[in-house]
Amino acid sequence: MYLILKSTDSVAIFPNNNASHFNVHLSQPLCYQDYLSCALIQLSYPQPPSSVKEILVVTNRVIESCVGDTLLPVTNRLIFDNTDNTNTLQLQQAIYLPLKSNDIDILEVILIERDTLRPVKLLTGITYCTLHFLEV
């Protein structure tokens, strides 16, 4: 199953959604008997400030990974250099991570600046992401 989400989805329920931190309420909850894993397979986002060198893509549904001395549910990380102004990440090889639960009704996505561990300040624009869920 693929979920194609954007940061403007569910704004009636979550009016504070923005390009770097958003929640999406699924019209039909996902409920599976078997264990699921999830991978971020595509991400398109507004250009971050030039001071941002690394972004962690976090969702509330995968198990936590150790980031320095902090546990975060990271699905992927983006590393920037000053020569690349690309805003779309198409992953060649998906990294599947186990889910915390097989019941999903709300999915939260946060783009976190690695240095501060806070949401990236994306002033305008829309973030799009595609997640793939796989039964294990």
Side-chain angles (χ1 to χ4, degrees):
M1 151 128 352
Y2 291 89
L3 285 182
I4 301 167
L5 310 171
K6 63 181 179 176
S7 56
T8 57
D9 289 339
S10 299
V11 290
I13 300 170
F14 302 105
N16 294 325
N17 277 0
N18 61 63
S20 62
H21 186 178
F22 57 96
N23 289 279
V24 176
H25 183 268
L26 303 179
S27 58
Q28 286 189 310
L30 301 178
C31 300
Y32 289 92
Q33 297 289 336
D34 296 327
Y35 290 106
L36 286 180
S37 59
C38 174
L40 174 72
I41 59 170
Q42 185 175 34
L43 181 72
S44 179
Y45 51 93
Q47 188 68 35
S50 60
S51 61
V52 174
K53 302 299 178 212
E54 184 176 354
I55 293 177
L56 304 173
V57 183
V58 172
T59 180
N60 62 330
R61 294 302 178 175
V62 299
I63 62 167
E64 287 85 5
S65 299
C66 190
V67 179
D69 62 354
T70 304
L71 290 175
L72 290 172
V74 176
T75 58
N76 220 305
R77 64 179 244 220
L78 317 173
I79 300 174
F80 300 95
D81 63 28
N82 293 331
T83 61
D84 187 8
N85 290 325
T86 304
N87 293 27
T88 299
L89 172 69
Q90 181 76 41
L91 297 164
Q92 300 301 319
Q93 183 175 6
I95 301 168
Y96 286 89
L97 299 166
L99 294 184
K100 293 179 185 178
S101 166
N102 286 352
D103 300 326
I104 301 172
D105 59 346
I106 297 173
L107 204 109
E108 180 181 32
V109 177
I110 312 171
L111 305 182
I112 294 179
E113 186 175 350
R114 171 63 170 95
D115 289 341
T116 64
L117 296 181
R118 295 190 177 163
V120 175
K121 293 181 181 174
L122 302 173
L123 301 178
T124 61
I126 299 173
T127 296
Y128 300 85
C129 71
T130 303
L131 298 168
H132 183 232
F133 293 86
L134 188 66
E135 290 187 67
V136 183

